[in-house]
Amino acid sequence: MTEIENHLRRPVRVVVSSPDDVRRYTTEFYALSRSVRAAQKTGEVSGSASFEQLVELGKAKGQLDANDQGVVQVVDWLWQYAFDQRASDIHLEPRRDMGAIRFRIDGVLHTVYQVPLTVMAR
């Protein structure tokens, strides 16, 4: 475990989980990853958004389209996962390199996932 902590440069906490939960979350996260990749591919075709475009998203008329299946699946997963975790808020935070998705759970913001800017824009 010390090797893992040294490699990650973070503390590792050992927890006990049922095999069913591990299978369920593994399946969910791989499905989310596939959806993000699909949304990113369609975003690359339509053009990527810069950080400044994301900050002024309300002013971008018609440039950013959210009507593709990858984006719909990502948003679907976010709603379901937020509900399962009993999150009171969902924060989508555009950053220069990646967008951060954070949930407020019991008053504390937790980073749940990071997505490419092309997906965040959509």
Side-chain angles (χ1 to χ4, degrees):
M1 188 152 94
T2 308
E3 284 184 36
I4 294 172
E5 287 179 336
N6 290 338
H7 182 70
L8 294 175
R9 296 182 187 159
R10 291 183 173 190
V12 174
R13 187 179 64 166
V14 177
V15 296
V16 177
S17 182
S18 73
D20 291 335
D21 285 343
V22 171
R23 272 191 295 278
R24 181 177 138 226
Y25 285 115
T26 302
T27 303
E28 281 184 27
F29 281 111
Y30 278 118
L32 175 64
S33 180
R34 280 192 303 273
S35 297
V36 167
R37 278 196 306 275
Q40 186 177 16
K41 284 180 185 177
T42 58
E44 287 170 354
V45 170
S46 64
S48 64
S50 69
F51 180 76
E52 288 76 20
Q53 284 175 313
L54 292 173
V55 171
E56 300 194 17
L57 189 58
K59 297 177 185 175
K61 301 199 188 288
Q63 288 180 330
L64 307 172
D65 182 25
N67 292 325
D68 69 74
Q69 194 60 33
V71 174
V72 171
Q73 289 172 348
V74 170
V75 172
D76 244 5
W77 179 87
L78 280 175
W79 280 109
Q80 185 60 48
Y81 192 60
F83 180 78
D84 290 346
Q85 297 299 312
R86 304 176 74 81
S88 61
D89 301 7
I90 300 174
H91 293 250
L92 303 175
E93 301 172 355
R95 305 238 169 102
R96 217 163 266 292
D97 298 329
M98 297 285 279
I101 299 173
R102 298 173 16 136
F103 291 170
R104 184 179 309 279
I105 302 169
D106 296 329
V108 179
L109 278 174
H110 300 274
T111 301
V112 175
Y113 205 79
Q114 291 187 338
V115 295
L117 286 179
T118 54
V119 176
M120 181 64 77
R122 302 181 93 205

